[in-house]
Each structure stands twice: as structure tokens, then as C-alpha cells.
Amino acid sequence: MKNLFFDIPPALQAAADKALEASQTAFQRIERITEYNQQKVLSAFIEHRVSESHFVPTTGYGYGDRGRDVLDEVFAQVMGAEDALVRHSIVSGTHAITIALFGVLRPGDVLLAATGTPYDTLLGVIGVGAHSDGSLKDYGVGYREVPFCNDRPDLEGIQRALRDEPAVKMVHIQRSRGYSLRPSLTVDEIGEIVRAVRAVREDVCIFVDNCYGEFVEETEPTAVGADLMAGSLIKNAGGGIAENGGYICGKARYVEQCSYRMTTPGLGREVGASLGHNRSLYMGLFHAPHVVGEALKTAVFAAALFGGFGYEVSPTPDEPRADIIQAVRLGDAPSLVAFCQGMQQGAPVDAFVVPEPWDMPGYDDQVIMAAGAFTAGASIELSADAPLREPFAAYMQGGLNFHSGKLGVMLAARSMIEKGVLSLE
Ligand SMILES: *Cc1c(COP(=O)(O)O)cnc(C)c1O
């Protein structure tokens, strides 16, 4: 089909048509998961009698905010958790995870990262690498790490670490790959880690960083034995509608501990006015399964297109997915920059902006980001981020709807052709 609105070279259009064809099997699987998750969310809304009155804003202390409290219950049911805290006042995913870690850990405890080095922004929270004031380390919380073994979680290594270090109080598992080429973990694989941990220690709190994972599969980590889980509302769980926020969910006693860190000891979840945010948080949760499906389709299409050009892509179009991230190994800095600049050209907001690599707070390498989003920094909207380091891989994610996401991916390829780093002849 000739494109009336965008100037797409015929060879690229032909490659895109072929990539779409190659995506169909994966699309069918995504469609089934989306439908399942959409019904799961809808039934939770209905069972909890969500009503217009829950959208009424509260101010001040926010005592007795029904909308806020019912949203917590709906969210917990959807996640297969006992309890949840869903708040616009949690400023980001890193903040949600920080509340969970500080909520449960006490001086003298040890945090064990079971799936290698955690996501970049958590290093300052833990207190490894660059010094950061107020880190867990400052409060006397120790840290141990078990790296991946041949790209798999090292179950024996995790068990050994638990035996060697009785002070481990919390085990950290990261579902998504973050900025690395290690595979993302499926919920089944997280279940295996949970069983391996429990075989050695019944009493540790198993925490999952669930960023980018929500609604990608039919179950969530809290439904397979994880004790606590956290994520961002400007990624999957906010459905592209939440304007900010984060969540924590899991076993009731741990969620309660988190509530005292989220506000204050003693007050916990009783306070925190929702202002006018409840409606968009409900609506975002309602849309989330569908929007995640659209993002997954965009990722599969990108894998098929760039895989077809000969780049290493991870996951491949037909591999099962555990998060919405698509890595494309572009191999050098000019290709990476051209890719991100092209993707920006397909954004509904700020398409005229040319992204450049910069020193982003919380990250050790320079990072380039393509993002033209309605919500600043929302990576459930089509976006690509890439640290400028080997292997010069672009990590792209999001797409509020497949049709626009597909075009963004095509414009990334067009930009590479125009910059002379990709040839389709
Ligand atoms: C995005 C992300 C985070 C941090 O979330 P922010 O909202 O950017 O603070 C943590 N862990 C993983 C795996 C992520 O993808």
C-alpha cells in the first residue's frame, strides 16, 4: 500500500509489508493474552462496583478517599495480590521500588539481587557505584548480588548466597531486561526462582521489579509466589492515560510496611489526597491490557523489520515475550543516533525535535532518547532509549496504538537509510 502521508522509500515499504506478514503468528498470541487480561481487569472493576463517585477528588489529608481505596482493591485483585497501593504521588518506578525496599529492610539486613545488577537508577538507592546520600547502605543495609549464569538465573548460586548470608531479608528479582541484552524473565521463570528461594529460606521477602512486565502474560509475579512487587504507571499499568504514579502490591503485611514508608509511620495509607487523579488512574488501568497489546505488536513488527535487515534483535518476532522491550543491536553510535532520531519523527508530539545523547541523571553513560509523548517520559508511548555503550543496542518500547507505532519504526529505518548507515539495495 502506497503511503499518502509519509515519504517511504519503496524498498522500505516492501520490507515493512513482509515484516507485517511475518508478525501474524505472534499477533494472534498477543491478541489472546490481551483478551484474557482485559476480561480480568473488567471483572475486577465490576466486582468492586466501581462507580462515578470514585472519581470525586479529595483534598487536604485525604482521609476516607473511597476512590483511592477501591482502586487499591481492584488493582490487587488484577495482580493476584492480597493488597496494593496505587498512587499518583509515587513519582516514578524507581520511587515505588525504593518505597518497597526501605519499607521492608532494616539496619543489619542484607538485600540479595538474584538476577544480576539491578536497573541503573537503583544503584544509587542501594548505594553501590556512585555514592548517594540516603541510600540503603547509609542506613546499614548490606547488599549481595548473584549474576546471571549463561543468561539464566543462577538458581544454585542464589541458594548458596542465601545459605552463606543468613542476614538476607529481601530477594530482588528484575523481570525486565532493563538496558542489557540479558533475556527478560517470564512469570514461570520467576516462579522457579521463588521455589528455589523458598527451598532454602521460608521467611525472606521476595520482591519483583515488575516495570514493563504488567499484562504481557496472563499472570503476574505476585500470582506465582512473589511477596511484593512494584512498577510505574507511566509504563504498562497506567495504560498511557495515567499522567504519573506508581504502584506497590503483594502480601498484606509487606504492603502495610510499605505504606508507612510511603507516607509516615502510624499514618500509612490513611492519608494521601487523590486530588483529581482517580479517574485517570482507573481509566488507565482499564486500558492497560489493550495498550500493552498494541505495544507488543509494535515490538514484534520492529523485530521482524530490523531482523529482516540482518540486525540481531531480541526477542525475535516469534519468541515468547516477558516485557514490552525490543532490543535492536545496531552496532555503532551513528546507527543508534539515526534510529532514535527517526523514531522521534513519527511522534504525535515534538516530532520536529532532534534528540541528541546527553548525561541523564541516574545513568552512568550518555543516553539518547526518542520520545514524543503526551505524558513526559512515558515509555508506554512509543519511545527508544539507548545508552551510548557497547553493543550500541536501541531499546524501544511502547506505542499507544499499533498503527502509529508501526510508522514510528518505519521512520527509524528511513532515517538510517537517509544517514547512509542502512542500505536496502
Ligand atoms: C523503568 C524501570 C525502572 C525505573 O522506573 P522509572 O519510572 O524510570 O523510575 C526500574 N526498573 C526497570 C526494569 C525499569 O524498566
Side-chain angles (χ1 to χ4, degrees), residues 44 65 73 76 117 119 121 148 200 233 261 265-266 371 397 406:
D65 187 323
E73 291 168 19
T117 307
Y119 189 77
T121 58
F148 272 77
V200 180
L233 297 186
R261 168 75 196 194
Q397 65 273 315
K406 175 185 177 215

Side-chain angles (χ1 to χ4, degrees), residues 28-110:
Q28 281 170 17
R29 185 166 52 205
I30 292 164
E31 198 62 47
R32 281 194 297 273
I33 295 170
T34 301
E35 184 168 359
Y36 178 90
N37 283 327
Q38 191 65 63
Q39 291 188 10
K40 178 165 68 176
V41 169
L42 180 58
S43 68
F45 273 60
I46 293 169
E47 275 178 45
H48 288 88
R49 305 174 64 87
V50 173
S51 106
E52 196 181 351
S53 64
H54 295 135
F55 307 153
V56 173
T58 56
T59 57
Y61 295 122
Y63 291 123
D65 187 323
R66 278 297 292 154
R68 177 194 67 202
D69 296 345
V70 169
L71 179 62
D72 288 346
E73 291 168 19
V74 171
F75 199 91
Q77 176 170 330
V78 166
M79 294 293 160
E82 290 175 9
D83 201 355
L85 300 164
V86 185
R87 295 292 181 281
H88 75 89
S89 50
I90 295 178
V91 302
S92 67
T94 304
H95 187 198
I97 295 164
T98 300
I99 292 168
L101 299 180
F102 276 90
V104 172
L105 291 162
R106 298 289 178 272
D109 291 342
V110 169

Side-chain angles (χ1 to χ4, degrees), residues 92-94 97 119 121-122 174 176 178 209 211-212 232 235 363:
S92 67
T94 304
I97 295 164
Y119 189 77
T121 58
L122 292 170
Q174 184 178 306
S176 170
D209 172 352
C211 283
Y212 288 132
S232 164
K235 294 180 180 175
Y363 296 84

